[in-house]
Amino acid sequence: MKRILVFFLSLGILLSLPFSFEAGFAQTDDQLIVVDQANLFGNQKALVEEAAQKLINLGADVRVRTINTYSPFANLDLYEEQLEQQSPSWLGQGGERKNNLIVLIIALQERKTGLYYGVQWENVLGSKWLNIQTDIMNPRFASGDFAGGVVKGFEEIQRLIQGGGTPSTETPSGGGSSALVAIILLVIVLLVVGVILFSAFRKKFSQRKAIRQKALLAKQGAASGINELNEALQLLEVKVERMGELLPPEEFQPFKENFAKIKLLISQSSETYSQLSHSAGDPENPKLGLEELEAVRGAYQQILDNLGKARESIQEIEDKILQVQKLMEGFPGKVSEIQAAIEEVSQKQARVETLVVKAVQPGNLISQAREALEQSQALFSRKQFMEALRQAELALEKTRLASQGLDELPKRKGEAEAGISSLSARVQKVQEVIEKGRLVFEEISRKYSESSWEAIRGNGTEAENRIDWTLEALEDAQEAIHPDHQDWEKALELIKQGNSWLDEAESFMNSIFELEKNLASAQKDAPHEVEAAEVDIRKAWDYIRQYDEDIRESLEDELREAEKVLERAKEELQNTPPDFYQVCKLARQANEAADKILLQARSEHENAERLRAKFSSARRDAYSKVSLAREYIQDHYSVVSNEPRSLLNRAVEFLRQADSSSSSGADINSVIALLLQAEQEAEQAYILAKKDAERYEGSPFPSSGRSRGSDSPPVVIFPSGGSTRSTLSWGTRRSSRPGGSISRGGGGSTSWGSRGGGSTSWGSRGGSSRGGGGSTGW
C-alpha cells in the first residue's frame, strides 16, 4: 500500500511541474460565474447561474457581479476596467479583454448597471447592449426583481447569439491546446487517486491505532482490577467466617451464597485474562487487524464489567456485616431504651386512671409492648439478630401509641359524653320531623293520584327503622362509657353510626316535603299548560289553512296527533284525583309538537314564495330574451343563417311548454328549468344572429339565396303573456373602447421605472480592441 501511494504521488508531482504556473486545483474569485456581494439575488442565485450557463454553452465566458458601490471610482466603467485588470481569467494572453467575455455588474447604491463584452460579440451586441439594459434589465431592477432582470437579459443575449447576429470568427484568446488539457487532466486524476488512497490508508491506520489503545487500556484495567479484588476477597472471607460463628445457619446462608458467587466471578475473570495474555489475542501483537483488535478490546471490556459486578457485591456484603455488628453492639442499649419507655408510659397510665378514667386501650398496648420486648431478647440470645431487631422496633412503636392514647384519653372521654348527649337530643327532633312527614304523606295520598306519590311509598317506615337503630346504638354507647368499661373509642364509633342513621331518616322525610311542593306546583300549572297547548295548536291550524297549497298534508296529520295528546291531558285533568304530573307532561308534549309543526309550515310556505319569485323572474327574463332575439332576427333576416332561426324556434317551444306545464299544475322547479332553457336558447340565437349581421355589415346583401323582398321572415307567435319589443339602437357601433386611446411615450432616460425624458449615463466602448458595452442608470 505504501509503495503504491508513493508511486502515484511521485508521478503526479513530476507530471505537474511543467504546468505549475498555468494550472490550479482551486477556483479563484475571478473564475466564479456569479458573485452576489450585494446579496441582490437571495435564494434565486441558482436561476442566475443557470441562465449564465446557457450562454457559456454557446461559447461565452460569463461573469456576473453585484456590488454595494463602485466608490472610490468615478463611474462603473472605471470600476469594471480596474476589476478586469485584477482578474486573470478575464484577460487574453496579451493582457486585453478576453474575446468571448461577457460581464454584467450591478451597483446597488448608485443604481447603475454595466454590460461589457469581448470583440467576438461585437456583431451580436454592438447595437443591442443598451436596449438590453434599458428595456429588459433596468425596469425589473427598479422593481426589485434583480434575478429576474438578469435572467431575462441573458435570455435576450442568448436569442441574439443563436439567430440575431453573427459572432466574430476570431479564436478566443486564452485557450490552450488539447494536449495540454489532457496532460493536466491526467495529473489531476493521478493526484486525486493518490490522495484517496493515502486518505484511506491513514484513516484505517488511525482507527487501528485507536482500537489498539482502547484494548491496552482495558487490559491494564482488568489486570489491576483482578489484583485489587483478590486482596479484597481475602479480607472479606475472614469477615464472612466470623459471621458464620455469630449467626444461626439460616441467617448466615445468604452471606455464604453471595461470597461464593463473588469468588467464582473473580476466578473466571482471572482465567479469561490469563488466556488472552498468552495467545494471539494480545493487543500488543502488531499482526492483529482492525476486527481482531476490536474483538480483543471487547473481551477485556467484558472482564472489566464482571469485575465491576463483583466489586458491587463485595460492598453489599460489607454493608450487611457492618449492620449486624452495629446491631450486636447496640442491642443492649436498645433494650434499655425500650424498658425505660415502657416504664414511663406505665407511670403515665397510673396517673391518668387516678385522676380521670380507666385507660383500657393504652393498657392493652403497654402489655403488647412488654411481650414484644421479651420476644426480642429471646431471639437475640438465639443469635437471630435481624428478627430480634424487628421485635424491638415493634415494642417501641406499641409504647409510642400507648403514650399517645393516654394523652388523648381525657379529650376522647369528653367527646364521647358530649356526643351521647347530642345524639339523644337529635333523636327527639328527628322523631318530630317524622311525625310531621306522616301527616304530609296522608294529605298527599288523599289529594293526589297514587301514581304521582309512588316514589315516596315506604319512606316513613324506613325513617322509623333508623330511629330504632339509633336508640339501640345510643344505649350501647352509654354502656361503653360506664365506669366498669370506659371504652371511649367504642362509644364514639356508635355515636358516629347513630348520627348517620338519623341523616338517612331526615333525607326520607325531606323527599316527602319536596314532593308536596312539586305536586302543588303541578296542580297550579296544569290548566295553564293545557291552555297554552290549545293556543299553539290553534295557531298552527290557522297558518296551515291560510297557506294550504304550499304546505304538505303530512303536517296536518302530525297536528292531529298533537291534538290527540292534548285530549289525553284534558281527560287526565278530569280524573279524581288527577295525576297533575302526567297532565303537565302531556300538555307540554302537545305544545312542543305544535310549535315544531308551525315552524315547518312557515318554512315550507317561505320556500314556496321564493320559488314563485324565481319562477316570475325566470319567465320575465325568458320572454325578454326571446323577444330580443326575434326582433333582431326579423330586422336582419336576409343575412341570418338557419342556426339562430332554429335556436329561436326552440326557445319559443320551451316557452310554450313552460306555460302549458304551469297551467296544468306541474312541479314549479321543472317549469323554471324550461324557462331557463328558453332563455339560454334565445341568448345563443341572438349572439349567432348578431355575428351573421356583423359579417355582412358594410357589404351589399347577397343576391342569391334569400332577400327581404322575396323571402320574408316567419312570424314568431309568443305564448300569452310574452314581453313586448325591446328598444335597441339600429346598427350603431362604438368607434373605440371606453376610456379613449392610449398614448405611449418614446425613448428617454433609463432610470428604473421610467422611460420619459432625461439622459443616459453610459459610455460606448464598441469598436475598440477591448470590446464594447457600458453602464446605464436605473
Side-chain angles (χ1 to χ4, degrees):
M1 175 64 72
K2 291 183 179 179
R3 293 176 181 176
I4 295 174
L5 181 61
V6 171
F7 169 76
F8 278 112
L9 288 175
S10 301
L11 180 60
I13 293 171
L14 289 174
L15 292 173
S16 63
L17 285 177
F19 316 104
S20 58
F21 296 102
E22 296 184 15
F25 300 108
Q27 193 177 34
T28 58
D29 289 345
D30 66 286
Q31 292 176 308
L32 296 175
I33 298 174
V34 180
V35 177
D36 188 14
Q37 178 185 343
N39 195 24
L40 301 181
F41 302 143
N43 58 4
Q44 295 182 318
K45 181 179 178 182
L47 298 178
V48 176
E49 292 176 339
E50 182 180 352
Q53 187 60 48
K54 292 179 180 179
L55 293 179
I56 293 173
N57 295 339
L58 296 176
D61 197 357
V62 182
R63 301 290 187 271
V64 180
R65 300 292 184 265
T66 69
I67 59 176
N68 290 309
T69 178
Y70 53 65
S71 179
F73 295 95
N75 54 53
L76 186 58
D77 297 339
L78 294 176
Y79 173 88
E80 189 278 336
E81 186 174 352
Q82 180 64 26
L83 180 61
E84 188 177 298
Q85 295 302 318
Q86 295 175 353
S87 304
S89 65
W90 298 20
L91 303 176
Q93 293 180 348
E96 75 283 1
R97 180 185 296 172
K98 188 183 294 186
N99 295 339
N100 63 339
L101 184 68
I102 296 178
V103 177
L104 176 65
I105 303 178
I106 305 173
L108 179 61
Q109 183 174 325
E110 292 83 3
R111 298 172 65 86
K112 295 289 185 180
T113 307
L115 179 61
Y116 309 93
Y117 55 88
V119 296
Q120 181 176 342
W121 312 115
E122 179 62 32
N123 293 338
V124 177
L125 300 176
S127 61
K128 301 292 185 180
W129 68 268
L130 181 59
N131 292 335
I132 292 172
Q133 289 189 66
T134 57
D135 295 344
I136 298 176
M137 292 185 177
N138 288 355
R140 289 177 171 83
F141 295 169
S143 63
D145 185 11
F146 293 98
V150 174
V151 170
K152 290 298 182 181
F154 281 3
E155 287 177 353
E156 176 63 14
I157 295 174
Q158 179 183 351
R159 187 189 68 80
L160 293 172
I161 291 175
Q162 290 176 331
T166 305
S168 172
T169 57
E170 182 179 348
T171 303
S173 60
S177 65
S178 58
L180 175 61
V181 174
I183 293 174
I184 293 175
L185 291 176
L186 177 60
V187 172
I188 293 174
V189 170
L190 292 175
L191 288 177
V192 169
V193 171
V195 169
I196 291 174
L197 293 175
F198 177 75
S199 298
F201 170 79
R202 184 164 184 173
K203 181 179 180 181
K204 190 171 183 180
F205 177 79
S206 300
Q207 290 177 344
R208 186 167 59 177
K209 182 179 179 181
I211 295 298
R212 187 188 304 278
Q213 184 66 24
K214 291 180 181 179
L216 289 172
L217 291 175
K219 178 182 178 181
Q220 294 172 2
S224 61
I226 290 172
N227 294 331
E228 172 195 347
L229 291 179
N230 279 330
E231 296 177 1
L233 191 64
Q234 293 176 3
L235 297 176
L236 182 63
E237 187 174 10
V238 175
K239 295 179 181 179
V240 171
E241 290 176 355
R242 175 60 179 164
M243 288 293 103
E245 297 173 358
L246 297 176
L247 299 176
E250 61 272 13
E251 291 194 5
F252 174 68
Q253 188 63 27
F255 288 91
K256 183 178 179 181
E257 292 177 355
N258 289 337
F259 179 79
K261 292 179 181 178
I262 295 171
K263 188 174 182 180
L264 177 62
L265 194 59
I266 296 175
S267 176
Q268 290 175 345
S269 300
S270 180
E271 183 178 355
T272 303
Y273 179 85
S274 179
Q275 292 174 356
L276 290 172
S277 299
H278 295 84
S279 67
D282 187 356
E284 296 181 1
N285 186 352
K287 296 182 180 180
L288 294 181
L290 188 62
E291 295 181 357
E292 290 85 353
L293 286 172
E294 181 62 34
V296 171
R297 186 201 64 80
Y300 281 114
Q301 185 61 46
Q302 184 62 45
I303 294 176
L304 288 175
D305 294 342
N306 293 336
L307 294 177
K309 294 177 182 178
R311 190 176 288 105
E312 292 176 359
S313 299
I314 290 174
Q315 187 61 45
E316 290 177 2
I317 295 179
E318 294 276 5
D319 293 341
K320 291 181 179 179
I321 291 174
L322 182 61
Q323 183 181 5
V324 172
Q325 291 174 346
K326 288 183 178 180
L327 175 61
M328 294 173 60
E329 295 172 357
F331 188 77
K334 188 76 170 179
V335 171
S336 299
E337 177 188 352
I338 297 172
Q339 288 175 340
I342 292 175
E343 182 63 26
E344 181 180 355
V345 77
S346 298
Q347 294 175 3
K348 182 186 290 188
Q349 179 188 12
R351 290 195 300 272
V352 170
E353 290 180 345
T354 301
L355 298 176
V356 186
V357 293
K358 184 178 181 181
V360 178
Q361 186 66 19
N364 293 335
L365 290 172
I366 293 173
S367 299
Q368 294 172 8
R370 287 196 175 99
E371 292 177 2
L373 180 60
E374 291 175 0
Q375 291 181 9
S376 176
Q377 290 174 319
L379 290 168
F380 188 81
S381 64
R382 295 196 297 269
K383 298 182 179 180
Q384 296 179 355
F385 301 114
M386 302 305 296
E387 186 62 29
L389 178 62
R390 283 191 288 270
Q391 288 297 324
E393 294 292 344
L394 178 62
L396 192 61
E397 177 64 15
K398 295 288 186 181
T399 304
R400 186 188 65 79
L401 293 175
S403 177
Q404 181 179 345
L406 289 171
D407 292 336
E408 296 179 354
L409 197 57
K411 178 182 177 183
R412 305 297 281 175
K413 175 179 178 294
E415 291 176 352
E417 292 174 346
I420 290 173
S421 177
S422 175
L423 183 62
S424 179
R426 189 182 177 197
V427 167
Q428 295 179 2
K429 291 181 179 180
V430 175
Q431 285 176 330
E432 295 174 359
V433 173
I434 293 175
E435 179 62 23
K436 180 180 178 183
R438 184 182 64 79
L439 297 176
V440 172
F441 178 77
E442 291 175 354
E443 181 69 13
I444 290 174
S445 60
R446 183 184 63 81
K447 291 176 58 177
Y448 301 106
S449 172
E450 182 178 355
S451 59
S452 61
W453 51 265
E454 182 69 25
I456 63 169
R457 184 191 296 275
N459 280 22
T461 302
E462 292 297 328
E464 290 174 349
N465 288 339
R466 268 60 176 181
I467 290 292
D468 294 340
W469 298 344
T470 303
L471 290 173
E472 293 175 3
L474 184 61
E475 184 178 348
D476 292 342
Q478 290 172 341
E479 180 68 19
I481 65 172
H482 191 273
D484 294 339
H485 301 98
Q486 297 185 3
D487 193 345
W488 313 107
E489 294 295 333
K490 180 179 179 181
L492 289 172
E493 186 64 29
L494 290 168
I495 292 168
K496 180 179 178 181
Q497 182 61 64
N499 279 306
S500 176
W501 284 326
L502 292 180
D503 290 341
E504 294 177 4
E506 288 180 335
S507 177
F508 286 127
M509 292 303 100
N510 288 334
S511 297
I512 295 175
F513 300 146
E514 190 66 25
L515 180 63
E516 181 191 25
K517 295 179 182 178
N518 293 337
L519 286 173
S521 177
Q523 182 179 6
K524 179 181 177 182
D525 294 341
H528 301 294
E529 293 284 356
V530 171
E531 183 179 356
E534 287 180 332
V535 171
D536 286 345
I537 289 175
R538 187 162 54 252
K539 288 180 180 179
W541 273 122
D542 292 344
Y543 194 89
I544 289 175
R545 291 189 182 101
Q546 184 179 358
Y547 304 107
D548 185 62
E549 294 182 356
D550 297 340
I551 300 171
R552 54 189 166 90
E553 294 295 329
S554 61
L555 285 183
E556 297 183 12
D557 297 335
E558 293 177 11
L559 194 55
R560 293 187 186 95
E561 290 297 325
E563 287 181 322
K564 293 179 182 179
V565 173
L566 182 59
E567 287 300 320
R568 288 167 53 195
K570 291 179 179 179
E571 292 173 0
E572 180 63 35
L573 192 59
Q574 299 302 319
N575 290 336
T576 305
D579 188 342
F580 294 106
Y581 279 158
Q582 184 68 9
V583 172
C584 292
K585 177 182 177 181
L586 292 172
R588 283 193 294 268
Q589 181 179 342
N591 198 335
E592 291 172 359
D595 290 341
K596 181 179 178 181
I597 292 168
L598 181 58
L599 286 175
Q600 292 176 343
R602 285 174 176 168
S603 176
E604 292 181 7
H605 168 63
E606 291 169 359
N607 185 54
E609 285 289 306
R610 287 192 293 271
L611 285 176
R612 280 191 287 270
K614 184 177 180 181
F615 165 78
S616 178
S617 175
R619 190 170 186 273
R620 181 190 65 246
D621 294 343
Y623 271 95
S624 176
K625 291 291 185 181
V626 169
S627 177
L628 176 63
R630 175 184 63 81
E631 294 167 359
Y632 192 89
I633 290 175
Q634 287 179 351
D635 292 342
H636 302 82
Y637 191 77
S638 61
V639 296
V640 174
S641 62
N642 290 328
E643 185 177 1
R645 299 181 192 179
S646 176
L647 288 171
L648 178 60
N649 291 331
R650 288 174 58 186
V652 172
E653 176 60 22
F654 281 129
L655 281 181
R656 187 194 64 76
Q657 293 177 11
D659 283 346
S660 175
S661 299
S662 177
S663 301
S664 62
D667 178 57
I668 192 169
N669 287 304
S670 62
V671 176
I672 292 173
L674 289 171
L675 292 171
L676 293 176
Q677 188 66 30
E679 180 183 356
Q680 293 175 3
E681 296 288 333
E683 175 72 16
Q684 187 65 21
Y686 174 76
I687 292 173
L688 295 178
K690 190 175 180 181
K691 288 183 178 178
D692 289 342
E694 290 176 348
R695 189 179 303 115
Y696 288 100
E697 185 176 355
S699 300
F701 287 95
S703 58
S704 61
R706 57 181 181 265
S707 67
R708 295 182 62 90
S710 61
D711 189 10
S712 60
V715 178
V716 179
I717 305 299
F718 281 94
S720 60
S723 62
T724 60
R725 177 185 180 93
S726 60
T727 58
L728 288 175
S729 300
W730 262 7
T732 58
R733 301 184 63 185
R734 287 190 292 265
S735 59
S736 62
R737 64 176 180 269
S741 61
I742 300 175
S743 61
R744 307 203 44 165
S749 69
T750 58
S751 298
W752 279 0
S754 172
R755 297 291 305 277
S759 62
T760 61
S761 57
W762 56 274
S764 174
R765 301 175 64 184
S768 69
S769 61
R770 299 186 65 246
S775 61
T776 60
W778 33 274

